[in-house]
Amino acid sequence: MNYTRTSDTNKPIVNISATIEEINQHTEQVLRGENSCAVSICPKCGAKSNNFKHREAKPRIFYVLIEQVIQIVNAFLTLWKCPECKKCFMGYPPFAVPYKRYTTATICEFSRRYVENDAMSYRGVINETPLLSETKPEWELSHTTIHRWITTLGRLDTTLAKAQDLIMQANPLSTISRDLAAVAIACRKYTSDARKSLLLTCRKILKTGTWFCQPAVQCLDFLPLGMLYINQFSGCVMKLTDESDIWIELKLGFLWYLPLIMKSLLDIHQTGD
């Protein structure tokens, strides 16, 4: 496998990845105990709390892309302990996806290249932009890895439904429902209905992510005095302008926790907290 060179116009050079500096900065905050928990509800028991405790710093390896070369970055993530159920859960920054070593941006971009191009194959994605290792060939990106990424994203059907509902609350005139209904997958990409469903959900979840960056999502009816900025894949920053002027920074991989986040938002609206 050869490196893509600048003169090779058919193969775009990519640098779609979290940066080493970004990961190191998060690690320093974790080791100093300066990072705050990204959620106000426990993903294990659903209890609301502002008092999650640092349990320990857990080591984690990430694959970062420098041009098309894979670099290994050793990092730490925080394991949080719920004061209610006493169980622990991992805190994920925006660049991290649970159980994945590649960063969020890389996973989403390579998945998008496959599902949005009817003629593209898994191996075609790799041939178009190979990711290489200067020291260990086994670290090079494989077409089977992209297949697994798409499977993971394709299982987020509940997240997709909740995300669509939130967009419609923010803007009842949104065309998101029609846009998602028009999404299709080429027949050559699947051999079963189950795989077709996963591919469709993956493509829809990637498409939906772009909607959370739109200004219309700032004006949710149930947060008339607040501002809400949500990015489906790089975390969420939300400001609720209430009597305590709370800033909540949601950096938990967001994909897995959106249903709980929505429940928390509705609870805030209903109780006036």
Side-chain angles (χ1 to χ4, degrees):
M1 188 176 292
N2 298 319
Y3 285 92
T4 296
R5 302 188 183 280
T6 305
S7 59
D8 196 349
T9 57
N10 293 324
K11 295 183 178 181
I13 291 179
V14 297
N15 193 19
I16 303 165
S17 169
T19 63
I20 294 176
E21 292 75 15
E22 180 183 3
I23 296 174
N24 287 341
Q25 181 181 14
H26 179 78
T27 292
E28 290 174 4
Q29 292 176 341
V30 169
L31 295 177
R32 291 196 299 260
E34 296 177 353
N35 61 314
S36 57
C37 187
V39 294
S40 59
I41 52 178
C42 174
K44 298 292 187 179
C45 67
K48 297 174 64 175
S49 176
N50 294 317
N51 195 33
F52 294 117
K53 302 294 185 182
H54 283 83
R55 179 64 176 84
E56 62 179 306
K58 301 286 287 185
R60 181 77 179 270
I61 293 176
F62 289 101
Y63 291 169
V64 172
L65 309 184
I66 306 299
E67 294 296 343
Q68 289 175 241
V69 179
I70 300 168
Q71 302 290 334
I72 305 303
V73 181
N74 293 298
F76 283 90
L77 302 181
T78 299
L79 192 67
W80 298 95
K81 184 175 182 179
C82 174
E84 300 298 328
C85 66
K86 310 301 180 184
K87 294 181 180 180
C88 297
F89 60 92
M90 190 68 74
Y92 291 94
F95 57 79
V97 174
Y99 312 113
K100 306 299 181 185
R101 291 187 175 183
Y102 285 93
T103 59
T104 307
T106 305
I107 292 172
C108 293
E109 174 60 21
F110 278 84
S111 298
R112 181 192 63 78
R113 291 184 182 193
Y114 177 79
V115 297
E116 293 187 359
N117 185 340
D118 290 348
M120 185 62 71
S121 65
Y122 291 111
R123 286 184 172 85
V125 176
I126 299 299
N127 292 334
E128 182 182 69
T129 313
L131 301 184
L132 310 173
S133 171
E134 293 179 335
T135 56
K136 294 188 177 182
E138 63 268 23
W139 286 351
E140 295 179 358
L141 182 62
S142 166
H143 65 281
T144 58
T145 301
I146 298 177
H147 186 280
R148 290 194 297 271
W149 289 347
I150 290 173
T151 299
T152 297
L153 296 177
R155 288 172 176 164
L156 300 175
D157 48 348
T158 300
T159 299
L160 177 63
K162 293 292 184 179
Q164 185 176 348
D165 181 62
L166 179 59
I167 292 171
M168 293 305 297
Q169 291 183 56
N171 180 15
L173 299 180
S174 170
T175 61
I176 183 65
S177 296
R178 291 198 300 273
D179 291 348
L180 293 184
V183 169
I185 294 293
C187 296
R188 63 181 297 274
K189 290 182 178 289
Y190 59 87
T191 58
S192 68
D193 290 340
R195 189 62 189 174
K196 177 183 179 181
S197 178
L198 289 172
L199 290 168
L200 281 172
T201 300
C202 175
R203 186 170 184 180
K204 289 178 181 180
I205 205 88
L206 292 170
K207 186 178 184 66
T208 302
T210 61
W211 283 78
F212 283 95
C213 299
Q214 297 185 4
V217 184
Q218 300 173 19
C219 52
L220 294 178
D221 291 339
F222 56 83
L223 294 174
L225 299 178
M227 296 183 296
L228 178 63
Y229 301 89
I230 301 180
N231 185 316
Q232 173 82 10
F233 298 106
S234 64
C236 163
V237 176
M238 176 179 68
K239 181 178 181 181
L240 300 180
T241 306
D242 56 15
E243 50 187 41
S244 59
D245 197 30
I246 302 173
W247 276 92
I248 303 176
E249 191 175 5
L250 302 172
K251 292 182 176 180
L252 197 57
F254 194 54
L255 300 170
W256 276 258
Y257 291 88
L258 181 58
L260 293 176
I261 293 170
M262 295 303 100
K263 180 178 183 299
S264 179
L265 289 175
L266 293 175
D267 288 345
I268 291 172
H269 173 54
Q270 292 169 0
T271 61
D273 290 347

